[in-house]
Amino acid sequence: MIRSALVFTATLAFAAPAIAQTDFGPLVSAEALSTLVEAGDVTVLDIRGDAYGEAHIPGAISGPYALFRGPADNPGALPAVADLEATLRSLGITTETAIVVVHEGTDETDFGAAARVYWTLKSSGVSDLAILNGGQRAWTLAELPTTDVATEPTPSSFDLDFSDQWLATTDEVVALVDSGSALLLDARPQSFWEGEDAHPSAARPGTLPQSQYFEHSNWFSSGPSIVNADAARQLAADQGFTGQEELVSFCNTGHWAATNWFALSELAGVENVKLYPESMVGYSQGGHQMANVPGVFRNLLNQFR
């Protein structure tokens, strides 16, 4: 559902050879990934953290999601450039590395982790990218082999030049709120958009002025696998997301919003879609104008619901 807001005051652990994007991303099935792994054509980046040590795709390297996130008080913030560059180097990643990102595949929310890492890698200059649709669980359900033997990557000399093509900063979002020149799309459930719920690190509940909401889970027809490109294009067209001058995807911390960004930009092929990584936590902490902010009494009631 979409509504408008009212304004209130891999086998190889080192750099794998690049493969054609038409034969690769942005989504790959477990069976297709198995073929790529057997051929040594891809690096599998497992972002699940501790679960990697229990069982993972043979040859996969471990790059926990937390490495691509900000501090506890602003989880959506981008890591410092030096820190992100060091992470990419330690994982053996180069701009020529073909990468498949693997999340757990627990539910629709879990997909956001893979989408956020995909967005970070693409913005860092990696072009051959895909997400394992359905995550590790899809691999397991396909009865494909796993191992608990870790693969240590060979460090690279990655030089990070982070692109702002798909990035919306807080200053840019403030300007877009003032100008009304972009579609500001809230990926959170309706209760967050309406100000009934808030992230623990947000300064206050509410959403961006002039925003609309389209919950991230709408891109999933059943289970934790996201819809295909044809379905994403149809849904984007039905909702009026195509043909926008600019579209900014946001949520609480750039996690659910990464799913909306991925579905629109990578699956539906909508141009000029940006992700606001800090989202409402960072925006609210800056004291900027918000919509759907509850009064003091209502806010107290919401906290005791």
Side-chain angles (χ1 to χ4, degrees), residues 28 43-47 99-103 113-115 117-118 121 129-133 135:
V28 64
T43 291
V44 177
L45 178 61
D46 189 317
I47 64 171
I99 299 175
V100 175
V101 181
V102 177
H103 56 300
V117 172
Y118 178 110
L121 292 172
L129 285 167
I131 293 174
L132 173 57
N133 204 7

Side-chain angles (χ1 to χ4, degrees), residues 164-207:
D164 62 1
Q165 182 175 351
W166 305 282
L167 167 68
T169 66
T170 296
D171 287 344
E172 290 170 340
V173 170
V174 170
L176 290 172
V177 166
D178 290 340
S179 68
S181 60
L183 172 56
L184 306 173
L185 194 62
D186 194 334
R188 301 175 300 170
Q190 181 177 354
S191 60
F192 285 88
W193 183 82
E194 292 182 340
E196 295 177 359
D197 289 315
H199 189 279
S201 296
R204 59 194 186 280
T207 189

Side-chain angles (χ1 to χ4, degrees), residues 1-264:
M1 181 179 182
I2 182 169
R3 291 179 59 187
S4 298
L6 298 175
V7 181
F8 294 89
T9 352
T11 299
L12 298 179
F14 40 87
I19 53 185
Q21 188 71 16
T22 53
D23 299 326
F24 194 47
L27 288 174
V28 64
S29 67
E31 292 77 11
L33 178 56
S34 177
T35 300
L36 292 170
V37 168
E38 289 178 5
D41 282 340
V42 68
T43 291
V44 177
L45 178 61
D46 189 317
I47 64 171
R48 298 175 301 140
D50 292 342
Y52 172 88
E54 299 172 7
H56 56 265
I57 297 169
I61 59 174
S62 177
Y65 183 40
L67 294 174
F68 299 88
R69 299 285 277 168
D73 62 347
N74 192 7
L78 284 169
V81 170
D83 293 339
L84 181 56
E85 182 177 79
T87 292
L88 298 178
R89 288 181 176 185
S90 70
L91 295 173
I93 292 173
T94 73
T95 55
E96 289 76 39
T97 307
I99 299 175
V100 175
V101 181
V102 177
H103 56 300
E104 186 62 52
T106 306
D107 52 27
E108 298 95 333
T109 286
D110 187 43
F111 186 89
R116 176 64 186 257
V117 172
Y118 178 110
W119 173 85
T120 303
L121 292 172
K122 181 169 184 173
S123 299
S124 298
V126 181
S127 58
D128 286 318
L129 285 167
I131 293 174
L132 173 57
N133 204 7
Q136 183 68 33
R137 291 198 175 189
W139 181 274
T140 301
L141 288 173
E143 299 183 344
L144 293 165
T146 61
T147 182
D148 61 0
V149 178
T151 297
E152 294 298 327
T154 300
S156 70
S157 56
F158 196 103
D159 291 323
L160 180 59
D161 183 13
F162 198 88
S163 171
D164 62 1
Q165 182 175 351
W166 305 282
L167 167 68
T169 66
T170 296
D171 287 344
E172 290 170 340
V173 170
V174 170
L176 290 172
V177 166
D178 290 340
S179 68
S181 60
L183 172 56
L184 306 173
L185 194 62
D186 194 334
R188 301 175 300 170
Q190 181 177 354
S191 60
F192 285 88
W193 183 82
E194 292 182 340
E196 295 177 359
D197 289 315
H199 189 279
S201 296
R204 59 194 186 280
T207 189
L208 294 178
Q210 325 291 353
S211 70
Q212 301 173 350
Y213 78 81
F214 185 78
E215 189 173 343
H216 65 101
S217 59
N218 286 317
W219 300 105
F220 299 80
S221 57
S222 61
S225 294
I226 199 168
V227 299
N228 62 27
D230 288 339
R233 281 191 289 269
Q234 185 62 56
L235 187 53
D238 291 345
Q239 295 294 329
F241 298 150
T242 57
Q244 298 288 334
E245 181 178 343
E246 187 172 345
L247 190 154
V248 175
S249 178
F250 71 96
C251 58
N252 287 319
T253 66
H255 178 97
W256 287 329
T259 296
N260 275 5
W261 173 86
F262 179 86
L264 290 165

